[in-house]
Amino acid sequence: MSRSAVAAAAWRERDRLPRYWFANRLVLTLSGQRPVHTLLGHALPAAYDQLIELAPRAPLRPAGERATAPLVRRCGEYQPRHGVIEAFARIASGDRLTALAFRLELGADARWRCAAIDLGPLA
């Protein structure tokens, strides 16, 4: 197997982790690439309300015509207890780096849902 095939397989495996799956979906929504309703059912009511408020401003939208689409560079997690993930992601868009924090909670149906989102102070 080639080095690039191994790297691609590693990226696909990484993107299956709940923290990366949600980070990627949140970036798509908060950059204006996907509508908020794509996260309906993947977010608890309070987090969905946050998304409805944030999404129209597209705070992660690339600045300028030639700017590259935002990309999740790294995403870490802390598990304060079973069924809860507090995740943090570094989002890169060109030379701009943004922090994204979010909380995931495991439901009774064994599905992860976003419970809170924090982009810090927005300009």
Side-chain angles (χ1 to χ4, degrees), residues 35-48:
V36 176
H37 71 266
T38 60
L39 287 170
L40 189 61
H42 297 289
L44 296 175
Y48 193 74

Side-chain angles (χ1 to χ4, degrees), residues 47-117:
Y48 193 74
D49 289 345
Q50 283 181 287
L51 285 169
I52 288 172
E53 183 180 322
L54 288 170
R57 292 185 268 161
L60 297 180
R61 178 175 286 142
E65 290 180 20
R66 296 181 174 258
T68 59
L71 176 68
V72 177
R73 286 287 180 208
R74 175 136 166 65
C75 190
E77 72 176 43
Y78 169 69
Q79 293 187 4
R81 67 177 188 272
H82 177 72
V84 175
I85 295 174
E86 294 180 353
F88 46 93
R90 281 184 264 173
I91 313 301
S93 180
D95 61 351
R96 187 175 109 188
L97 195 61
T98 305
L100 170 66
F102 54 98
R103 181 182 176 96
L104 304 177
E105 294 180 3
L106 189 61
D109 60 357
R111 291 180 53 208
W112 289 101
R113 289 185 178 77
C114 186
I117 302 152

Side-chain angles (χ1 to χ4, degrees), residues 12-59:
R12 281 191 304 275
E13 189 63 32
R14 178 193 89 158
D15 287 343
R16 287 188 185 115
L17 296 171
R19 68 181 186 261
Y20 276 98
W21 190 93
F22 275 94
N24 286 317
R25 294 328 178 268
L26 290 169
V27 166
L28 289 171
T29 300
L30 296 173
S31 64
Q33 297 177 67
R34 297 285 160 94
V36 176
H37 71 266
T38 60
L39 287 170
L40 189 61
H42 297 289
L44 296 175
Y48 193 74
D49 289 345
Q50 283 181 287
L51 285 169
I52 288 172
E53 183 180 322
L54 288 170
R57 292 185 268 161

